[in-house]
C-alpha cells in the first residue's frame, strides 16, 4: 500500500517536472476559491502555487514588507527566482490585503503574460452571489481575450464533472479517517490533497482510485484506541513535521479544516445548473475561511467536523502575521470552550524553527487531556 500512496504523492513531489513535460499551457493559482474548472475548460492546467521551494523568501522581502503573510512571501519568492517561468499566467483571489499587494508587485516587477485578480465577496447572500457570478463571467472573458480561446458552457460542464470526481474520491479518502484506527496517516493525507492541486486531474483520479480500492479491500482495525483524535484548522498549513510529531507523541490527526485539507474538496458543484452560476454558488457557499464575515457559520462548519470525526481536541494553526486567522481565533476558541473542546493555538513562520518548543507545548496539551 505504501507504494500506492507514494505513487499519488509523487504527483506533488515531481510536479514541476511533470508540468513542464506536459504540452498544455499552465496557469498558477493560490487560493482554493479559484474556479479551476474555468481554467481547465480553457485548455490550461491549473496548478497551485505553494511557495514550498523558497520558504525563506530572501528576495521577496525587498519587494514586500517582511511583516506580512509568509506564505505569500514564499510564493512571490518562487516567482522572482524563476520557479514559475513555465507558467502562462497566475490568478489571485482577493482573499486578504497581502494577496492584493502580491497582485500589485507581480504585475509590476514580473513579465508574466496574464496576472488576474478575482474579487470575492466576504458575505454570502443573493446579491453577493450575483456579484461573484459577474466576476467569474469577467474571468471567462479575460482568458478568452488574452489567449484567443473560446470557453463554452459544455467545456465548463466537462471540467465540473472531472473536478467533482476528484472531490468525491478525496471525500472517500477522508471517510476512512473516521475509523477508530485510520489506515493512513495525517501527513500522507495532506500530501495526497496537495497532489490533487497539481492540475493533472485525470492521472490523479486514476491513482487515487487505485489507492482507495486497496484501502477498501483491507479489513478495518476496529480495536479500541485511546489515542486523542486531533483536528487541525486555521491558516495555510503544510508543516508535515508537526503532524508527524503529533502522531509520534501518541495522537492521531483525523481531519484538517484547512485549504490543504477538507476545505479544498468538500461538497460538489451542481452539474444541472448554468455552469458559471453553479461555480459561483459552490465556491461562495463553501467558503468558511477566516476572511469571511460569518464567524458563527465557520464554527458550525468546524463543529460538524468535530462531531463527524469524533474529535477530542483542536489545534488552531496560524501563520505569523495572518490577520484573518489571528482575529478569528478568539471567537472560535470561545465557542470551542463553551462546547468543552480543548484547543491549542500555534503561531509560527513558514519555516518551523521552534519545533522543540512546539513539541513541549503539544505534549503538555495532550497530558492535560489525559489527566
Amino acid at each position: 500500500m505504501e507504494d500506492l500512496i507514494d505513487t499519488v504523492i509523487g504527483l506533488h513531489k515531481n510536479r514541476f517536472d511533470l508540468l513542464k513535460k506536459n504540452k498544455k499551457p499552465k496557469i498558477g493559482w493560490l487560493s482554493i476559491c479559484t474556479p479551476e474548472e474555468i481554467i481547465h475548460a480553457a485548455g490550461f492546467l491549473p496548478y497551485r502555487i505553494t511557495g514550498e521551494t523558497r520558504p525563506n523568501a530572501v528576495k521577496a522581502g525587498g519587494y514586500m514588507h517582511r511583516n506580512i503573510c509568509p506564505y505569500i512571501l514564499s510564493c512571490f519568492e518562487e516567482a522572482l527566482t524563476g520557479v514559475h517561468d513555465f507558467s502562462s499566467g497566475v490568478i489571485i483571489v482577493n482573499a486578504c490585503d497581502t494577496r492584493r499587494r502580491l497582485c500589485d508587485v507581480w504585475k509590476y516587477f514580473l513579465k508574466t503574460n496574464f496576472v488576474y485578480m478575482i474579487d470575492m465577496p466576504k458575505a454570502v447572500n443573493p446579491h453577493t452571489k450575483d456579484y461573484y457570478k459577474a466576476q467569474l463571467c469577467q474571468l471567462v472573458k479575460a482568458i478568452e481575450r488574452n489567449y484567443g480561446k473560446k470557453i463554452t458552457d459544455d467545456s465548463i460542464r466537462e471540467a465540473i464533472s472531472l473536478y467533482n470526481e476528484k472531490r468525491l474520491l478525496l471525500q472517500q479518502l477522508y471517510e476512512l479517517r473516521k475509523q477508530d484506527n485510520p489506515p493512513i496517516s495525517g501527513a500522507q493525507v495532506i500530501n495526497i490533497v496537495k497532489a490533487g492541486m497539481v492540475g493533472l486531474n485525470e492521472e490523479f483520479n486514476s491513482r487515487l482510485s487505485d489507492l482507495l480500492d486497496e484501502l477498501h479491500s483491507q479489513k478495518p482495525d476496529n480495536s479500541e484506541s485511546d489515542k486523542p483524535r486531533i483536528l487541525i484548522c486555521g491558516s495555510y498549513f503544510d508543516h508535515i513535521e508537526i503532524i508527524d510529531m503529533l502522531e509520534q507523541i501518541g495522537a492521531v490527526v483525523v481531519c484538517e479544516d484547512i485549504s490543504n485539507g477538507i476545505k479544498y474538496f468538500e461538497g460538489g458543484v451542481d452539474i444541472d445548473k448554468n455552469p458559471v452560476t453553479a461555480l459561483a454558488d459552490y465556491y461562495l457557499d463553501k467558503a468558511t475561511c477566516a476572511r469571511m464575515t460569518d464567524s458563527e457559520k465557520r464554527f458550525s462548519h468546524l463543529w460538524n467536523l468535530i462531531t463527524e470525526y469524533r474529535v477530542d481536541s483542536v489545534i488552531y494553526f496560524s501563520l505569523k502575521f495572518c490577520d484573518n486567522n489571528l482575529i478569528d481565533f478568539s471567537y472560535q476558541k470561545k465557542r470551542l470552550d463553551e462546547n468543552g473542546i480543548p484547543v491549542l493555538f500555534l503561531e509560527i513562520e513558514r519555516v518551523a524553527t521552534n519545533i522543540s518548543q512546539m513539541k513541549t507545548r503539544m505534549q503538555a496539551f495532550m497530558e492535560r487531556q489525559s489527566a
Side-chain angles (χ1 to χ4, degrees), residues 16 93 137 263 312 369:
F16 294 126
V93 174
C137 288
K263 279 190 184 331
D312 297 308
Q369 293 177 62

Side-chain angles (χ1 to χ4, degrees), residues 82 190 311:
I190 280 192
V311 168

Side-chain angles (χ1 to χ4, degrees), residues 252-284:
V252 54
V253 177
V254 295
C255 187
E256 301 82 22
D257 186 24
I258 55 174
S259 66
N260 280 331
I262 204 165
K263 279 190 184 331
Y264 175 61
F265 57 82
E266 58 192 341
V269 182
D270 190 340
I271 199 71
D272 296 321
K273 285 184 179 179
N274 170 278
V276 177
T277 301
L279 289 172
D281 289 348
Y282 171 74
Y283 281 101
L284 205 52

Side-chain angles (χ1 to χ4, degrees), residues 226-237:
D226 59 356
K227 291 182 177 180
R229 298 172 66 86
I230 306 295
L231 179 147
I232 293 176
C233 65
S235 298
Y236 177 91
F237 179 92

Side-chain angles (χ1 to χ4, degrees), residues 198-224:
V198 173
L200 304 171
N201 294 291
E202 292 88 349
E203 185 63 29
F204 174 79
N205 289 355
S206 174
R207 294 187 187 190
L208 181 53
S209 180
D210 289 343
L211 173 59
L212 286 168
D213 287 343
E214 177 64 24
L215 289 169
H216 286 135
S217 71
Q218 295 183 353
K219 185 178 179 180
D221 180 2
N222 294 320
S223 60
E224 188 173 342

Side-chain angles (χ1 to χ4, degrees), residues 87-117:
S87 178
S88 299
V90 61
I91 294 176
I92 300 167
V93 174
N94 180 17
C96 62
D97 186 63
T98 303
R99 293 175 196 243
R100 290 195 291 273
R101 302 292 75 78
L102 174 66
C103 186
D104 293 340
V105 295
W106 202 308
K107 282 183 176 180
Y108 191 83
F109 292 107
L110 298 176
K111 296 180 180 179
T112 306
N113 178 32
F114 182 72
V115 181
Y116 191 87
M117 173 164 280

